[in-house]
Amino acid sequence: SQTIHQWPATLVQPVGSPLSLECTVEGTSNPNLYWYRQAAGRGLQLLFYSVGIGQISSEVPQNLSASRPQDRQFILSSKKLLLSDSGFYLCAWSVGVFTGNSPLHFGNGTRLTVT
Amino acid sequence: EDQVTQSPEALRLQEGESSSLNCSYTVSGLRGLFWYRQDPGKGPEFLFTLYSAGEEKEKERLKATLTKKESFLHITAPKPEDSATYLCAVSSSASKIIFGSGTRLSIRP
């Protein structure tokens, strides 16, 4: 069966510091990978998605970037964190990309607090 | 613009008290509607996919239904362990998957 791992689970970082969140998927090949951010009381916001190694689509202009160095590895980064980057970051994978018969499967998230 | 709205924002029920959660959507060309359960501090867990009006899916005490404008998640005789936030999401031909803001369900023993 497929599993998705995200780490760390929680992170407290000062403003201006760099960020690296990692996500890996096991048990499937060529997954479509996603980074979402969830703010309290609001829906999930799509940040990036990737359909293959080195292929990154950005949905929201911001202080963050994403990379996919390996088939089942997805990384979310920032060079300098802002207070507004605080939130709950979720990695997800799917078989198809934004198709009706391909639900997203999420990791357990990283709670990021920028102080 | 595609939109997904969930109501109510929060719902408190007594154990055994059945109710329904609503997900209203406005999309151009529905490809699929998804329901998720999210426990505090965890990622959403996939429950159901619905594709066309009239379709129904069931899992234990949960039953999801779909019309051309909305979906309902019916919960029958809920237990405290059903307490969670339930998220609705839609996939359309014009946009990426869009999530509603969720309904926080609390079941009192």
Side-chain angles (χ1 to χ4, degrees):
Chain A
S1 63
Q2 301 87 1
T3 56
I4 179 169
H5 303 280
Q6 267 189 261
W7 65 93
T10 59
L11 190 61
V12 180
Q13 292 283 96
V15 169
S17 65
L19 172 74
S20 180
L21 302 181
E22 191 164 341
C23 169
T24 58
V25 180
E26 296 178 357
T28 186
S29 297
N30 305 314
N32 295 290
L33 298 173
Y34 310 80
W35 280 110
Y36 279 84
R37 179 166 57 200
Q38 186 175 34
R42 300 178 64 181
L44 277 69
Q45 179 189 32
L46 178 63
L47 302 175
F48 303 94
Y49 69 95
S50 171
V51 299
I53 296 174
Q55 301 180 62
I56 308 296
S57 296
S58 175
E59 291 297 301
V60 182
Q62 59 207 334
N63 188 40
L64 302 170
S65 62
S67 62
R68 185 171 176 173
Q70 301 180 42
D71 181 46
R72 290 170 285 179
Q73 184 185 29
F74 206 22
I75 297 172
L76 183 69
S77 304
S78 174
K79 291 182 180 179
K80 289 184 178 181
L81 283 169
L82 306 172
L83 285 174
S84 57
D85 290 325
S86 293
F88 191 48
Y89 289 83
L90 290 158
C91 181
W93 73 273
S94 70
V95 175
V97 57
F98 303 125
T99 61
N101 61 350
S102 194
L104 301 174
H105 300 279
F106 289 89
N108 275 328
T110 295
R111 173 73 60 190
L112 172 66
T113 303
V114 182
T115 61
Chain B
E1 182 179 345
D2 293 352
Q3 285 189 325
V4 178
T5 303
Q6 291 189 247
S7 62
E9 289 187 10
L11 181 62
R12 297 188 67 186
L13 300 173
Q14 198 70 33
E15 184 173 1
E17 181 185 2
S18 301
S19 188
S20 297
L21 314 181
N22 177 265
C23 172
S24 298
Y25 62 91
T26 305
V27 297
S28 51
L30 180 71
R31 290 181 172 173
L33 184 142
F34 310 103
W35 280 100
Y36 290 84
R37 169 191 170 126
Q38 185 174 23
D39 293 306
K42 302 292 186 183
E45 174 189 353
F46 170 68
L47 293 173
F48 306 109
T49 305
L50 301 168
Y51 297 104
S52 58
E55 189 175 2
E56 300 181 351
K57 293 276 181 72
E58 287 189 64
K59 181 178 181 180
E60 295 181 356
R61 294 175 292 281
L62 299 176
K63 179 180 174 181
T65 62
L66 182 65
T67 72
K68 289 186 177 180
K69 294 184 178 181
E70 57 192 349
S71 176
F72 291 95
L73 184 65
H74 307 277
I75 181 160
T76 302
K79 298 181 178 181
E81 54 262 41
D82 295 320
S83 297
T85 295
Y86 290 86
L87 299 172
C88 168
V90 297
S91 173
S92 77
S93 58
S95 63
K96 313 297 188 296
I97 294 178
I98 302 173
F99 282 81
S101 56
T103 294
R104 294 189 311 279
L105 178 64
S106 176
I107 309 299
R108 303 188 301 271

